[in-house]
Amino acid sequence: MPQLHIEIDRLEHPLDIVERLASLRDWIFDRAETDEMSVSVAGRWTDYHVAFTWIEGVEALHVACAFDLKVPERRRQDVLQLISRINEQLWVGHFDLWSSENVVMFRHALLLAGGADPTHGQCETILRVAVEACERYFQAFQFVVWAGKSPREALDSALFETEGEA
């Protein structure tokens, strides 16, 4: 199938909208490149490093949310099994293991084909979904990597919900 190259004029760069949103929300961010931007978000369990990348060729705003958890080689297969179990439950986005760094990350993309511009609401939602997924499953990754639990045990423990406060 031959590729079509269509020149699209956008009103503004999609990351300009993310940058404006980050400024309004007082998020710590860095935009060293035209098509790349990083945002730091404090979570309940850890700080999250969210990278936004504009991929011109497919007109997509890609988000990758990572946290500081290096996966040792001896726990790699269990973490991959856990990722598979978690991904079965997700409606939006997916977890992945970044092989070169052995870091778990959540990834998703917002397709903006035909010159569509992202809204503040879409950018805020894609960031919120990424951070919420990481918050929800962070402990499961910790249980596998540091406590030696099986993927099933770790997922069950992380998804156990309590009501009220003691």
Side-chain angles (χ1 to χ4, degrees), residues 17-118:
I17 297 164
V18 177
E19 186 173 343
R20 196 166 41 256
L21 177 64
S23 293
L24 289 171
R25 300 287 189 262
D26 292 324
W27 294 333
I28 297 169
F29 69 92
D30 179 41
R31 187 169 176 193
E33 302 286 331
T34 302
D35 292 337
E36 295 179 14
M37 178 178 169
S38 62
V39 179
S40 295
V41 178
R44 181 176 176 195
W45 307 112
T46 189
D47 291 338
Y48 298 102
H49 314 287
V50 185
F52 286 90
T53 306
W54 173 245
I55 305 167
E56 182 70 39
V58 291
E59 297 181 85
L61 182 60
H62 178 263
V63 64
C65 183
F67 42 86
D68 291 327
L69 178 70
K70 293 277 187 182
V71 177
E73 189 59 40
R74 63 181 166 61
R75 303 303 297 163
R76 184 178 178 78
Q77 285 306 313
D78 286 335
V79 168
L80 289 170
Q81 286 179 20
L82 177 61
I83 287 171
S84 179
R85 289 178 182 271
I86 291 170
N87 285 343
E88 289 175 355
Q89 299 182 29
L90 297 175
W91 287 91
V92 175
H94 67 279
F95 280 95
D96 204 353
L97 182 62
W98 187 18
S99 296
S100 65
E101 300 292 326
N102 282 332
V103 173
V104 174
M105 68 173 56
F106 177 87
R107 296 171 37 148
H108 185 58
L110 176 62
L111 296 176
L112 298 165
D117 290 315

